[in-house]
Amino acid sequence: MTRLDTQWAVAEIDAFLKVTAQVTPNMGPGVAYFGTVMVGPKTEAAQRAHVIEQILDRVLPGWANDRPAKDKDYTWLRDQASRARAALMRQDELAEKLGDNAPDMDAANLHPWAWENGRSYWNTGHYHQAVMQAAIRINAETQAKLGRMDISETALFNEAFSLAEPKDDAPRLRVAEDDGGMTYQNLHRGARAFAEGLYSAIRNPGMHQPSTDSGGQEQLALEQLAAFSLLARWVDQAKVVRP
């Protein structure tokens, strides 16, 4: 996955704002027209609005939460597009002036197993649900890779990264070749403990006690997604070892 092309996004927003601009038509000498009309054709406006909605999903997550049922002449959508344009044009300046200009993290660049299933939830501001979808997807992918539909989550990863020899009904995941050294053992003990921590401390409490605190919820969810993304990469890249 790649980052959003800022220059392209700004050009698309400008084109949308131009075609949906409201003007008073010139009806000729002696003729008065009360009101305004849209500059461009409605068909083109609708087509460009579709693209703008995809851009807003990336630039202003949760933008559609307060969307009115009817948006006459795209008035509300034009406001959101203008906000997105400002965010894109001044993102470097804002990062420098408002923060420490530290590297940012884009959820779309996480491992697909940690992002794809929860993307629609994230874009509508349901961050907690996005994390839960990542946990479900990674568990399912690991089950499929090992052919272990009989166990799941903590038990699954404890078996997968176990240093014990593989069995007919219990293949293992190996993130490195066994060279007889401590590094090999530490890698698998660490992966096993990491996975157990994610499912014990995030997935299970999250399913039964969803967070209702909006303060910092997006940042916390992003950090949780990043942790699940790392586990996904380990599983995806690991070799399946059978007897």
Side-chain angles (χ1 to χ4, degrees), residues 31-164:
V31 179
Y33 185 92
F34 297 97
T36 59
V37 296
M38 193 163 60
V39 171
K42 292 184 178 180
T43 301
E44 181 181 354
Q47 293 171 346
R48 292 196 175 279
H50 175 73
V51 176
I52 293 303
E53 289 169 354
Q54 313 308 306
I55 295 174
L56 291 174
D57 283 343
R58 292 292 302 276
V59 181
L60 301 175
W63 69 274
N65 289 348
D66 300 321
R67 189 172 189 172
K70 293 183 178 180
D71 184 18
K72 181 176 175 56
D73 300 325
Y74 299 103
T75 302
W76 189 84
L77 190 59
R78 282 174 55 84
D79 287 343
Q80 300 305 307
S82 295
R83 287 183 58 213
R85 189 184 192 284
L88 289 166
M89 293 296 293
R90 306 187 68 179
Q91 56 188 345
D92 293 337
E93 175 192 353
L94 290 171
E96 179 181 354
K97 300 299 183 182
L98 300 180
D100 57 8
N101 207 18
D104 59 356
M105 182 166 55
D106 187 349
N109 289 322
L110 299 175
H111 191 282
W113 297 353
W115 175 242
E116 289 179 347
N117 282 39
R119 178 178 180 179
S120 61
Y121 288 102
W122 188 273
N123 289 337
T124 54
H126 295 85
Y127 307 119
H128 169 77
Q129 289 86 339
V131 176
M132 294 301 101
Q133 288 299 312
I136 293 170
R137 172 73 182 275
I138 295 167
N139 176 78
E141 294 288 351
T142 306
Q143 286 180 316
K145 184 163 185 169
L146 292 172
R148 293 298 306 270
M149 303 302 175
D150 55 318
I151 55 176
S152 64
E153 300 191 349
T154 300
L156 172 67
F157 290 100
N158 280 336
E159 288 272 349
F161 292 116
S162 171
L163 287 168

